[in-house]
Amino acid sequence: MSPKITTELLKQLRQVMKNPRYVQEPVQAYIVPSGDAHQSEYIAPCDCRRAFISGFDGSAGTAIVTEQHAAMWTDGRYFLQAAHQMDSNWTLMKMGLKDTPTQEDWLVSILPEGSKVGVDPFIIPADQWKRMSKALRSAGHDLVPVKENLINTIWTDCPQRPCKPLITLDLSYTGVSWRDKIVALRSKMAERKVMWFVVTALDEVAWLFNLRGSDVEYNPVFFAYAIIGMNTIRLFIDGDRMMDPAVREHLQLDSTLEPEFKIQVMPYGSILSELQAVGAGLSPKEKVWLSDKASYALTEAIPKAYRYLTPYTPICIAKAVKNAAETEGMRRAHIKDAVALCELFNWLEKEVPKGTVTEIVAADKAEEFRSQQKDFVELSFATISSTGPNGAIIHYKPVPETNRTLSVNEIYLLDSGAQYKDGTTDVTRTMHFGTPSAYEKECFTYVLKGHIAVSAAIFPNGTKGHLLDSFARSALWDCGLDYLHGTGHGVGSFLNVHEGPCGISYKTFADEPLEAGMIVSDEPGYYEDGSFGIRIENVVLVIPAETKYNFKNRGSLTFEPLTLVPIQTKMIDVNLLTEKECNWVNEYHQKCREVVGAELERQGRHEALRWLLRETEPVARVQ
Amino acid sequence: MSPKITTELLKQLRQVMKNPRYVQEPVQAYIVPSGDAHQSEYIAPCDCRRAFISGFDGSAGTAIVTEQHAAMWTDGRYFLQAAHQMDSNWTLMKMGLKDTPTQEDWLVSILPEGSKVGVDPFIIPADQWKRMSKALRSAGHDLVPVKENLINTIWTDCPQRPCKPLITLDLSYTGVSWRDKIVALRSKMAERKVMWFVVTALDEVAWLFNLRGSDVEYNPVFFAYAIIGMNTIRLFIDGDRMMDPAVREHLQLDSTLEPEFKIQVMPYGSILSELQAVGAGLSPKEKVWLSDKASYALTEAIPKAYRYLTPYTPICIAKAVKNAAETEGMRRAHIKDAVALCELFNWLEKEVPKGTVTEIVAADKAEEFRSQQKDFVELSFATISSTGPNGAIIHYKPVPETNRTLSVNEIYLLDSGAQYKDGTTDVTRTMHFGTPSAYEKECFTYVLKGHIAVSAAIFPNGTKGHLLDSFARSALWDCGLDYLHGTGHGVGSFLNVHEGPCGISYKTFADEPLEAGMIVSDEPGYYEDGSFGIRIENVVLVIPAETKYNFKNRGSLTFEPLTLVPIQTKMIDVNLLTEKECNWVNEYHQKCREVVGAELERQGRHEALRWLLRETEPVARVQ
């Protein structure tokens, strides 16, 4: 991976930062956030402005360019990748390390007195605008909205915004009709006494209307906004997708409906003017509900006194708690996914010793096996297929320049997942196709102990996920080891592989309490720069737990693994496990055998079935 | 404990809330916070306004009185106590429970449109003012400062503010002179480019000047403020305490000193006008550093653009990391404290079966034994001496109406501590003087497992204490049990028994990372309303840990127990312990034997020594 040469681009950007055609007054710094106008994590090629200007294309990062400097903030997952992809024009700001300044502090430390800092108001979330604006103002600078995106002015071959056909999901997948979702939303609105709700996140629009799209790779969403009133529904969406008879039928666009369920379809680009019109027509006490992560541009459309901002929207919270149809769908999707991975690992076991399997070949093969499964739509994120030192690059994606050949001498880490019409998967397994060293086994076993500690944890109803994070690290900490990423994220139901409002992380303090029906990942790891990476990830469902006692009648919760793919026992130093942990492994593997074994049998995949049976032999501690 | 009848008082308060003599406009609600003008947790009798108006005298709580309602917010430690102490005029708001509204939300839900909410600006911390003011304003109400404290206007027999003599501490106790502390503070000020630092917390004034007082029971502090400039030191303190030759000598008030170390002594009451004068004389870029918990009144004295507010002051952080002299002092104090408790428990073992020992008698006896130890000053908090159901009242203090007799049939919980000139102690032991039931032993053992999980935890440098909280709960959670308080608090060095900026709690997210030299408590518990309470508390010192590996060269930390008092093995169901936990208990008891045994021997306390030896016999699991 050679870095992108950005000298010329930065020169051009610094010119437009002073060009009166684009800015009212010159800006001394320009912020290029990661997201799009919907604050999406995964973005369409036309929105990859930060990658365009810097070369760094990880999923999280913020670039700031000043007259003298260019700096990139990203987190522990991406330190190595960003260092590889950026040229010497860029300074890497390692978030989470003690000595790394915040963006605000850095700006204050280097800007000349009374500077203007520009940003696209459609791209920056309102909460970030507020924080940054305040910090800059208190140091005598100004954060200013720059209407025209300055990256777009220098990005001559910027691709078009995608506008692909939609998929309609019936009740067997969603469990609840879009009409009932609107009814529930309006009741939440009535509870909070708000008259309008603005849906800005792409996955929230998709979930609300039981529609899916493919405008953004890996995330089955489509570019749209919605404004829900107590009696009106406005959907802002472009293209001829609304001409599709299946979509018209699904949304009942041509039926005679009660007026409060009649959807008005409007152009995507008209959201701002429509919202401004809503804002201008508000009577006193009529509030408009927005996520505090909605863009500054949309938030500003509503006069401050009329805004009702929350960190998580009622849609975000409702979407996180999966109903029976969604949970069953997720189970089916994970069984199919396990079948594909059993095929893959069986194939790798035979092929790796031949020395012909590269990281890219293995990733493609994983996709091939997944695509053979029913209702497969696409991958849920870029496959992390990494061997040896590449495994230590936490969100690595193999490209021809970095593509290593799998061998019997190196650890192989595969973090991959798919979108099926019935659910979203995300699984990481770490394998050795030869003989792992004692040290590799030791590290793997600590990670496994952390994985089990979370997966088997029992905790009271109302517990927030971040309180479980240390369980995943305890075994590593005991030996002076750790990993620089969170332990888990929410997972959508045939939706985004990362979703709020719950998660398991030492840094997420704004997470909502875990509830039965929520689905998160459990993925501790251990990484040695230049040597190897280990991660063990299951997607797990929050379920009620039976306990001996029941303090204050609160009830308890635990996790049920939805992912059912063998954990390589060859990598386990069984004597480092407690008896309880050993039993967990054996019971988990027994379930893989029963559930995935039956499906392999049904699909006539006998060789993969034999692999599964071999890999799920019980382990025992030597006393 | 019968509740305080507050009908008449509330009537009077509601009258002054409308009386133009005290309020510019009538206030529809009046907030009575817990603290004093220094946001102290423990307060002098003259500052116990919330207890005066409500009857509830726990250490934490906020009362709000409106025309129709009177409500009290407090946390899980005090639910039972508050319910017992308040009459039916009051609604108890149980903080931390899901359905309990915040003060702001409650006010918004009950206030008539356009209400004024009054509060004493000297009592409310600036950060709370800001949050509440914003929430009220966005709902159309106003938070207004009421200069005269309205409780004081109806509190006819309010006691005088205390003004007791000071104690000077020499280098053998403090390790660092006050001059060197000033130098270090000024260097922190220079780092942050601030010209002035305002010391508002009583323990910070005491620590900075190496002085102690006794104006507040249990906390060896005195009423004072200080303003530290780069070249000036102003100490605001009342009474003739500055006439004491020892104090004058200690502060070098009569010496010819470099001007930057010359202390100007000023009246306590002149802080506001002096600070306003400082504020008025600032040049651009001259900032004033205050805690964001300083009172609204003092914070407002500095124009907004000149304020530099932080959640923790540099004094708070420096004070938390104990130096060698302080650590050694704390060790000595804890050995003496253990001697006193060995005497007490030996005495209780003999006396309890006679049926003559009440909770108050036991508490007094504990104080008697402690007062026999060298450098004993006073208790560090009100002794919690509780048996049977009283043990479930988490911050119970025995009074004649509730005083139970200890018996061989009930669990006894003693949470007590002392101030010695060389250190502060805080220890909880839970004992049974007869035969505990299997269930009592089971619960005790889960609490012990939690205590050990924290005490023996190894974690990376830079870890915040709240990340360890779940370790203390895990064994309880597994059985559906929990406790409704944090796991640990910072402990001062001959200072406040509760101090910031570190702690171990599920709710403390603003804690500073743990560092070697910090001292915290480790005190999980389990409480059954109406039956019993269990808590096991040691004070522990953060020390470097040796680990097999050292990820990113970060280094690891762990805890060393300073408290060395036997944990009653009779209460332990040894077979619920892991081998590692069992070893921890035996090694801990071995250390108690060696260290405290030697001191008991030295003090000729042979009977207590025999008790110690009996109580520290090793335990073993039956396989």
Side-chain angles (χ1 to χ4, degrees):
Chain A
M1 209 174 342
S2 54
K4 174 164 181 170
I5 304 306
T6 59
T7 310
E8 187 52 34
L9 282 176
L10 288 171
K11 198 172 140 198
Q12 289 173 16
L13 177 60
R14 284 167 179 143
Q15 274 161 2
V16 294
M17 282 163 61
K18 289 180 284 194
N19 186 336
R21 205 171 131 188
Y22 305 116
V23 289
Q24 288 188 309
E25 283 186 83
V27 296
Q28 283 70 46
Y30 188 65
I31 305 175
V32 187
S34 212
D36 58 16
H38 305 269
Q39 284 63 54
S40 309
E41 182 188 5
Y42 288 77
I43 52 182
C46 60
D47 288 319
C48 296
R49 300 180 186 91
R50 187 249 300 149
F52 169 76
I53 191 68
S54 70
F56 166 55
D57 66 2
S59 72
T62 299
I64 303 184
V65 176
T66 70
E67 285 154 339
Q68 305 289 336
H69 304 273
M72 175 70 66
W73 280 257
T74 190
D75 63 59
R77 294 174 299 177
Y78 292 116
F79 292 167
L80 285 177
Q81 179 179 334
H84 283 154
Q85 293 183 323
M86 298 192 307
D87 70 9
S88 60
N89 288 300
W90 291 84
T91 307
L92 177 57
M93 298 293 191
K94 298 182 172 183
M95 289 164 71
L97 299 197
K98 209 178 161 182
D99 295 329
T100 304
T102 63
Q103 293 161 26
E104 299 91 301
D105 286 350
W106 181 78
L107 278 168
V108 168
S109 74
I110 58 124
L111 283 178
E113 217 159 306
S115 287
K116 305 245 175 263
V117 177
V119 67
D120 179 342
F122 260 100
I123 305 298
I124 190 168
D127 61 343
Q128 272 180 39
W129 171 284
K130 195 174 158 186
R131 199 183 61 233
M132 179 149 297
S133 169
K134 194 178 157 189
L136 290 175
R137 203 167 43 239
S138 85
H141 309 294
D142 262 326
L143 185 63
V144 297
V146 180
K147 220 174 154 187
E148 184 132 13
N149 190 294
L150 296 186
I151 301 295
N152 287 24
T153 66
I154 60 169
W155 193 353
T156 46
D157 56 347
C158 176
Q160 284 287 306
R161 183 162 303 281
C163 192
K164 306 256 185 72
L166 303 182
I167 302 170
T168 62
L169 290 183
D170 66 33
L171 273 181
S172 70
Y173 291 105
T174 66
V176 180
S177 71
W178 65 262
R179 282 180 56 143
D180 287 345
K181 288 180 178 179
I182 296 272
V183 169
L185 173 61
R186 283 181 177 147
S187 111
K188 288 277 172 203
M189 288 162 62
E191 248 175 46
R192 309 288 184 106
K193 298 187 183 127
V194 302
M195 299 298 289
W196 302 92
F197 180 83
V198 188
V199 196
T200 55
L202 298 184
D203 63 334
E204 296 191 14
V205 180
W207 179 86
L208 183 61
F209 292 102
N210 291 335
L211 290 171
R212 297 295 186 269
S214 51
D215 287 357
V216 178
E217 201 180 5
Y218 308 125
N219 287 180
V221 296
F222 49 93
F223 284 101
Y225 291 102
I227 302 178
I228 312 299
M230 293 309 280
N231 299 299
T232 57
I233 303 172
R234 285 176 231 180
L235 177 61
F236 299 81
I237 185 166
D238 273 351
D240 51 7
R241 324 194 244 203
M242 287 296 133
M243 294 297 103
D244 179 341
V247 173
R248 297 194 74 78
E249 165 75 26
H250 175 82
L251 295 179
Q252 298 176 267
L253 293 182
D254 306 310
S255 319
T256 42
L257 270 178
E258 306 93 300
E260 67 267 31
F261 294 112
K262 193 85 200 159
I263 297 174
Q264 297 167 260
V265 178
M266 297 182 155
Y268 176 72
S270 67
I271 177 74
L272 184 59
S273 55
E274 282 295 322
L275 193 58
Q276 281 165 338
V278 165
L282 293 169
S283 325
K285 293 225 153 197
E286 281 194 3
K287 296 252 180 189
V288 179
W289 196 342
L290 285 141
S291 162
D292 68 1
K293 277 158 219 69
S295 68
Y296 175 71
L298 292 189
T299 308
E300 280 295 295
I302 304 299
K304 203 170 171 184
Y306 296 93
R307 285 179 216 156
Y308 182 76
L309 304 183
T310 56
Y312 297 111
T313 70
I315 297 186
C316 174
I317 292 168
K319 174 166 62 64
V321 182
K322 273 68 178 177
N323 60 42
E326 291 170 321
T327 307
E328 278 318 301
M330 286 293 265
R331 277 188 223 281
R332 285 197 305 275
H334 280 83
I335 295 168
K336 292 183 285 188
D337 211 54
V339 165
L341 287 186
C342 288
E343 283 281 16
L344 175 76
F345 291 131
N346 173 54
W347 181 83
L348 285 176
E349 219 172 73
K350 291 183 302 181
E351 299 299 320
V352 168
K354 299 178 190 164
T356 53
V357 183
T358 65
E359 293 167 342
I360 293 177
V361 167
D364 291 346
K365 199 76 190 172
E367 182 165 3
E368 182 191 323
F369 283 124
R370 283 190 163 106
S371 69
Q372 294 165 4
Q373 294 298 314
K374 182 166 172 252
D375 275 347
F376 171 85
V377 178
E378 61 171 333
L379 298 186
S380 58
F381 58 96
T383 298
I384 301 172
S385 172
S386 55
T387 185
N390 287 342
I393 303 172
I394 299 180
H395 271 208
Y396 174 83
K397 176 191 164 181
V399 288
E401 305 84 66
T402 62
N403 194 18
R404 279 176 85 85
T405 300
L406 277 63
S407 88
V408 294
N409 302 315
E410 285 183 346
I411 289 182
Y412 175 63
L413 185 159
L414 179 74
D415 185 351
S416 61
Q419 299 287 0
Y420 302 90
K421 256 184 96 175
D422 41 12
T424 303
T425 66
D426 180 1
V427 45
T428 309
R429 288 296 179 267
T430 305
M431 317 280 284
H432 203 294
F433 298 104
T435 307
S437 72
Y439 178 61
E440 288 166 338
K441 287 172 69 174
E442 183 186 357
C443 295
F444 183 93
T445 308
Y446 297 146
V447 174
L448 176 62
K449 286 166 86 80
H451 179 94
I452 297 171
V454 170
S455 194
I458 293 173
F459 49 91
N461 247 315
T463 301
K464 294 183 174 193
H466 70 258
L467 292 171
L468 309 180
D469 183 75
S470 297
F471 290 154
R473 298 177 200 274
S474 180
L476 287 161
W477 283 356
D478 278 346
C479 294
L481 303 181
D482 197 5
Y483 54 95
L484 298 181
H485 60 73
T487 301
H489 53 80
V491 179
S493 177
F494 183 29
L495 258 181
N496 295 359
V497 74
H498 296 163
E499 68 168 27
C502 56
I504 303 174
S505 174
Y506 59 98
K507 49 191 171 181
T508 316
F509 298 134
D511 53 333
E512 288 284 306
L514 292 169
E515 272 183 59
M518 284 180 166
I519 292 178
V520 295
S521 70
D522 169 14
E523 46 179 319
Y526 176 67
Y527 310 91
E528 278 206 2
D529 289 355
S531 305
F532 63 83
I534 292 167
R535 186 161 62 249
I536 302 173
E537 175 185 25
N538 280 352
V539 169
V540 296
L541 171 70
V542 182
I543 57 168
E546 291 301 318
T547 53
K548 189 168 176 188
Y549 307 112
N550 188 7
F551 180 65
K552 303 258 179 212
N553 248 326
R554 282 194 299 181
S556 293
L557 299 171
T558 187
F559 297 110
E560 174 199 325
L562 296 177
T563 305
L564 292 172
V565 177
I567 294 164
Q568 198 178 39
T569 53
K570 184 204 282 185
M571 285 291 291
I572 304 175
D573 182 342
V574 185
N575 287 314
L576 292 177
L577 297 183
T578 64
E579 201 182 318
K580 216 173 126 186
E581 289 162 344
C582 200
N583 292 341
W584 186 94
V585 169
N586 290 334
E587 283 160 25
Y588 178 71
H589 279 158
Q590 182 57 31
K591 190 165 175 195
C592 292
R593 276 187 176 206
E594 285 167 14
V595 177
V596 181
E599 182 64 15
L600 282 166
E601 182 76 51
R602 205 187 61 75
Q603 295 192 17
R605 296 175 183 272
H606 300 297
E607 196 179 322
L609 175 57
R610 283 194 296 277
W611 178 87
L612 172 69
L613 295 177
R614 271 200 315 277
E615 286 292 307
T616 51
E617 284 289 339
V619 294
R621 298 191 305 160
V622 183
Q623 289 300 332
Chain B
M1 208 176 340
S2 54
K4 174 164 182 170
I5 305 304
T6 59
T7 310
E8 189 51 37
L9 281 177
L10 287 171
K11 198 171 140 199
Q12 288 172 18
L13 178 59
R14 285 168 179 141
Q15 274 161 2
V16 295
M17 282 163 59
K18 287 180 286 196
N19 186 335
R21 206 172 130 188
Y22 305 116
V23 289
Q24 287 189 308
E25 283 186 83
V27 296
Q28 283 69 46
Y30 188 67
I31 305 175
V32 187
S34 213
D36 58 15
H38 306 269
Q39 284 65 55
S40 308
E41 182 189 4
Y42 288 78
I43 51 184
C46 59
D47 288 319
C48 295
R49 300 179 186 92
R50 187 247 303 149
F52 169 77
I53 191 68
S54 70
F56 167 55
D57 67 1
S59 72
T62 299
I64 302 185
V65 176
T66 70
E67 286 155 337
Q68 304 289 335
H69 305 273
M72 176 69 67
W73 280 257
T74 190
D75 63 60
R77 294 173 300 176
Y78 292 115
F79 292 166
L80 286 177
Q81 178 179 334
H84 283 154
Q85 293 183 324
M86 300 193 305
D87 70 9
S88 61
N89 288 301
W90 290 85
T91 306
L92 176 57
M93 298 292 191
K94 299 182 172 183
M95 288 164 70
L97 300 196
K98 208 180 162 183
D99 295 329
T100 304
T102 63
Q103 293 161 26
E104 298 91 301
D105 286 349
W106 181 78
L107 279 168
V108 168
S109 74
I110 57 123
L111 283 179
E113 215 158 307
S115 287
K116 306 245 175 263
V117 178
V119 68
D120 180 343
F122 261 99
I123 305 297
I124 189 167
D127 60 343
Q128 273 179 39
W129 171 284
K130 196 174 158 186
R131 198 183 61 233
M132 178 147 301
S133 169
K134 193 178 157 188
L136 291 175
R137 203 167 44 237
S138 84
H141 309 295
D142 262 326
L143 185 64
V144 296
V146 180
K147 220 174 154 189
E148 186 131 13
N149 190 293
L150 296 186
I151 301 295
N152 288 23
T153 66
I154 62 170
W155 192 356
T156 46
D157 56 348
C158 176
Q160 286 286 307
R161 183 163 303 281
C163 192
K164 307 256 185 72
L166 303 182
I167 303 171
T168 60
L169 291 183
D170 66 32
L171 273 181
S172 70
Y173 292 106
T174 66
V176 180
S177 69
W178 65 261
R179 281 180 55 142
D180 286 345
K181 288 181 178 179
I182 296 272
V183 169
L185 173 61
R186 284 182 177 146
S187 111
K188 288 276 173 203
M189 289 161 63
E191 247 174 47
R192 310 287 185 107
K193 297 184 185 133
V194 301
M195 299 298 290
W196 301 91
F197 181 83
V198 188
V199 197
T200 55
L202 297 184
D203 64 334
E204 296 191 14
V205 180
W207 179 87
L208 183 60
F209 292 102
N210 292 334
L211 290 170
R212 297 295 186 269
S214 53
D215 288 356
V216 179
E217 200 181 6
Y218 307 125
N219 287 179
V221 296
F222 50 92
F223 284 102
Y225 292 101
I227 302 178
I228 311 299
M230 294 308 281
N231 299 299
T232 58
I233 303 173
R234 285 176 230 182
L235 177 60
F236 300 81
I237 185 165
D238 273 351
D240 53 6
R241 325 194 244 203
M242 287 295 132
M243 294 297 102
D244 178 340
V247 173
R248 296 195 74 79
E249 165 75 27
H250 175 82
L251 295 178
Q252 297 177 266
L253 293 181
D254 306 310
S255 319
T256 42
L257 268 178
E258 306 93 302
E260 67 266 33
F261 295 111
K262 193 84 199 159
I263 297 175
Q264 299 167 259
V265 179
M266 299 181 153
Y268 177 71
S270 67
I271 176 73
L272 184 58
S273 56
E274 282 295 323
L275 193 56
Q276 281 165 338
V278 164
L282 293 169
S283 325
K285 293 226 156 194
E286 281 194 4
K287 297 251 179 190
V288 179
W289 196 342
L290 285 141
S291 162
D292 67 1
K293 277 157 220 70
S295 69
Y296 175 71
L298 291 189
T299 308
E300 280 295 294
I302 303 300
K304 203 169 172 184
Y306 296 93
R307 284 178 216 156
Y308 181 77
L309 305 182
T310 55
Y312 297 111
T313 70
I315 297 187
C316 174
I317 293 169
K319 175 166 63 62
V321 182
K322 274 69 178 174
N323 60 42
E326 290 170 321
T327 307
E328 277 318 301
M330 286 293 266
R331 278 188 222 280
R332 285 196 306 274
H334 280 83
I335 295 168
K336 293 183 285 187
D337 211 56
V339 164
L341 286 186
C342 288
E343 283 282 15
L344 175 75
F345 291 129
N346 173 53
W347 181 83
L348 284 176
E349 219 172 73
K350 290 183 301 181
E351 300 299 320
V352 167
K354 301 177 187 163
T356 53
V357 183
T358 65
E359 293 167 343
I360 293 176
V361 167
D364 290 346
K365 200 75 190 172
E367 182 165 2
E368 183 191 323
F369 283 123
R370 282 192 163 105
S371 68
Q372 295 165 2
Q373 295 298 313
K374 182 168 174 253
D375 275 347
F376 171 86
V377 179
E378 61 170 334
L379 298 186
S380 57
F381 57 96
T383 298
I384 300 171
S385 171
S386 56
T387 184
N390 288 342
I393 303 172
I394 297 179
H395 273 205
Y396 173 83
K397 176 192 164 176
V399 288
E401 304 86 67
T402 62
N403 194 18
R404 280 177 85 84
T405 301
L406 277 63
S407 88
V408 294
N409 303 314
E410 285 183 347
I411 289 182
Y412 176 63
L413 184 158
L414 179 75
D415 185 352
S416 61
Q419 299 286 1
Y420 302 90
K421 257 185 95 175
D422 41 13
T424 303
T425 67
D426 180 1
V427 46
T428 310
R429 287 296 180 266
T430 305
M431 316 280 284
H432 203 294
F433 298 104
T435 307
S437 72
Y439 178 61
E440 288 166 339
K441 289 171 66 173
E442 184 187 356
C443 295
F444 183 93
T445 309
Y446 297 146
V447 173
L448 176 61
K449 287 167 84 81
H451 179 93
I452 297 171
V454 169
S455 194
I458 293 172
F459 48 91
N461 247 316
T463 301
K464 295 183 171 192
H466 70 258
L467 291 172
L468 309 179
D469 183 76
S470 297
F471 290 154
R473 299 177 200 275
S474 180
L476 288 161
W477 282 357
D478 278 347
C479 293
L481 304 180
D482 198 6
Y483 54 96
L484 298 181
H485 60 73
T487 301
H489 52 80
V491 178
S493 178
F494 183 29
L495 258 181
N496 295 359
V497 73
H498 295 164
E499 68 169 28
C502 56
I504 302 174
S505 174
Y506 59 97
K507 49 191 171 181
T508 316
F509 298 134
D511 53 333
E512 288 284 307
L514 294 169
E515 271 181 60
M518 285 180 166
I519 292 178
V520 295
S521 70
D522 169 15
E523 47 178 317
Y526 176 67
Y527 311 91
E528 278 206 3
D529 289 355
S531 304
F532 62 83
I534 292 167
R535 186 162 61 250
I536 303 172
E537 174 186 25
N538 281 352
V539 169
V540 295
L541 170 69
V542 182
I543 57 168
E546 291 300 318
T547 52
K548 189 168 176 188
Y549 307 111
N550 188 6
F551 179 65
K552 303 258 179 213
N553 247 326
R554 282 194 299 181
S556 293
L557 299 170
T558 187
F559 297 111
E560 174 199 325
L562 296 178
T563 305
L564 293 172
V565 178
I567 294 164
Q568 198 178 38
T569 53
K570 185 204 281 185
M571 286 291 290
I572 304 175
D573 182 343
V574 185
N575 287 313
L576 292 177
L577 297 183
T578 64
E579 202 182 317
K580 216 174 127 186
E581 289 162 345
C582 200
N583 292 341
W584 185 94
V585 170
N586 290 334
E587 283 160 24
Y588 177 72
H589 279 159
Q590 182 57 31
K591 189 165 177 194
C592 292
R593 277 187 174 205
E594 285 167 14
V595 178
V596 181
E599 181 65 16
L600 282 165
E601 183 75 52
R602 205 188 59 77
Q603 294 191 17
R605 297 175 182 271
H606 300 295
E607 196 179 322
L609 175 58
R610 282 194 297 276
W611 177 87
L612 172 69
L613 294 176
R614 272 201 314 278
E615 286 292 307
T616 51
E617 284 288 339
V619 295
R621 298 191 304 159
V622 183
Q623 289 302 333

